[in-house]
Amino acid sequence: IQGYTPDISVRSLQYRFLRATGLTQKTIQQIERAHCAVSLLEQGTSILDTSFKLGYFDQAHLTNSLKHFIGKTPAQIIPKSTVP
């Protein structure tokens, strides 16, 4: 809805979006962060470096986030050429 000025408040728009999709702003941010993690892992960044760069508490939190929002573990995302 970029460039569009709604006739309702931002809060009302957020409420309607939540009712329609079931997604909160925090959930959307977590999904975006998981997609960034996938991108870093595909580029060859290590799991520990990826979790540090994106602010995950540790590797387990990164793994749980990826499994929940992407449906894959870091080991399934890492390119096969970088796996020993």
Side-chain angles (χ1 to χ4, degrees), residues 7-55:
D7 293 334
I8 58 175
S9 70
V10 173
R11 182 70 182 127
S12 294
L13 187 60
Q14 289 173 339
Y15 175 76
R16 289 181 184 183
F17 183 81
L18 174 62
R19 296 271 306 188
T21 64
L23 298 174
T24 64
Q25 180 66 26
K26 184 67 176 172
T27 302
I28 294 169
Q29 290 172 346
Q30 290 172 335
I31 292 169
E32 289 174 359
R33 187 165 74 156
H35 281 287
C36 288
V38 169
S39 177
L40 287 173
L41 290 170
E42 288 176 339
Q43 293 172 9
T45 307
S46 73
I47 296 170
L48 292 175
D49 287 342
T50 299
S51 60
F52 176 74
K53 285 180 182 179
L54 295 176

